[in-house]
Amino acid sequence: LIESINSIFTNSSRKCVNGILLYGPPGVGKTLLALNLRQKIRSNFKLVAGPELYSKFYGESENKIRELFEEADRLAPTVLVLDELDSLAPRRDGEGNDQEKRVVATLQTCLDKLQMNQSRVAVIGTTSRVEGISPTLRRPGRLDLEVEVGVPGPEDRLQILEVYLDQSNHALSVEDIKAVAEETHGFVGADLSSLYGTAMLAAQESESDLNLTHFR
């Protein structure tokens, strides 16, 4: 991701990436990943949730989108994150209402303009429903690099748990933590965060340090 964004910022006519689409199950950490890029890349950063750009007034949604892209271009280099992109530009296969069609058309135009002007703006869209996004945004020249953020495996879950446990007093051994990681098959980051919070409440109620019993 960092290499792709830096290639956009180099303003090279040979760049092969124009925009990035992060997709994966809800709670897997797509938005958090995008937010953490701010600490790795020296640029301006803007994150907007798709529903924030919708308005009940005619033409206002399109104006918000155009203004957002113009501001990002003016402040370049900029990472512009469009969170929950499927809510802003859903796939309707010709059945969408007039507003949805205008919004998608505006997004297309803004993305194309960035490419034509070789703007130093890296657009990142996030979604939990990759097939629910208008396919016109996924064609080459727009959001042409698609990165899946998958459900974490045991080793990934172990790393996530260690991040949380480093913040607390606990009585779990290395083997205990590995056991929790092994037994939480299918859990995403948000699930592990909730599990940790619930276990901490159980530990407080029992007035003891967090241990394996509280997790179970």
Side-chain angles (χ1 to χ4, degrees), residues 2 10-11 17 26 29 35 47 53 61 71 78 89-90 144 150 158 167:
I2 293 173
T10 59
N11 205 10
V17 174
L35 283 169
L47 186 147
L53 296 172
S61 296
E71 179 187 24
T78 305
D144 40 20
L158 178 61
Q167 306 170 17

Side-chain angles (χ1 to χ4, degrees), residues 1-215:
L1 281 176
I2 293 173
E3 290 179 1
S4 298
I5 292 171
N6 284 331
S7 75
I8 295 173
F9 289 168
T10 59
N11 205 10
S12 169
S13 60
R14 296 190 300 274
K15 68 182 181 182
C16 58
V17 174
N18 293 281
I20 301 167
L21 183 62
L22 293 179
Y23 68 95
V28 79
K30 302 179 295 295
T31 305
L32 186 60
L33 176 60
L35 283 169
N36 283 340
L37 289 173
R38 179 167 45 184
Q39 303 171 12
K40 305 290 185 180
I41 299 174
R42 299 183 65 179
S43 71
N44 287 299
F45 186 93
K46 180 76 172 179
L47 186 147
V48 180
E52 292 179 38
L53 296 172
Y54 258 111
S55 171
K56 63 181 180 180
F57 299 108
Y58 185 91
E60 190 168 317
S61 296
E62 299 93 301
N63 285 333
K64 286 183 177 181
I65 294 170
R66 281 190 289 267
E67 289 172 359
L68 181 65
F69 275 77
E70 288 169 1
E71 179 187 24
D73 194 13
R74 189 170 62 253
L75 299 175
T78 305
V79 175
L80 174 59
V81 181
L82 301 176
D83 204 17
E84 301 175 54
L85 185 60
D86 52 286
S87 66
L88 183 64
R91 178 176 188 148
R92 295 301 187 191
D93 296 323
E95 299 178 359
N97 60 42
D98 185 52
Q99 184 186 29
E100 288 174 343
K101 293 176 182 177
R102 293 196 314 270
V103 165
V104 171
T106 302
L107 278 171
Q108 293 173 197
T109 301
C110 289
L111 288 168
D112 291 344
K113 189 175 180 180
L114 291 179
Q115 183 192 19
M116 288 187 294
N117 295 340
Q118 295 188 18
S119 300
R120 299 173 67 202
V121 177
V123 179
I124 302 176
T126 74
T127 181
S128 299
R129 298 173 52 251
V130 67
E131 297 302 329
I133 291 177
S134 173
T136 59
L137 298 181
R138 300 174 63 189
R139 49 151 271 193
R142 293 173 183 165
L143 301 179
D144 40 20
L145 174 63
E146 300 190 358
V147 179
E148 181 179 11
V149 185
V151 175
E155 289 298 320
D156 302 315
R157 295 195 296 272
L158 178 61
Q159 291 181 30
I160 294 170
L161 287 166
E162 287 174 341
V163 169
Y164 285 108
L165 292 170
D166 283 345
Q167 306 170 17
S168 63
N169 294 322
H170 66 83
L172 282 86
S173 65
V174 174
E175 289 72 23
D176 290 340
I177 302 172
K178 287 182 178 179
V180 176
E182 290 287 345
E183 294 172 21
T184 48
H185 177 74
F187 279 46
V188 296
D191 297 323
L192 293 171
S193 175
S194 177
L195 174 63
Y196 169 77
T198 305
M200 282 294 293
L201 285 175
Q204 290 170 9
E205 290 175 357
S206 65
E207 298 183 349
S208 61
D209 286 342
L210 182 63
N211 58 47
L212 186 58
T213 301
H214 299 132
F215 271 95

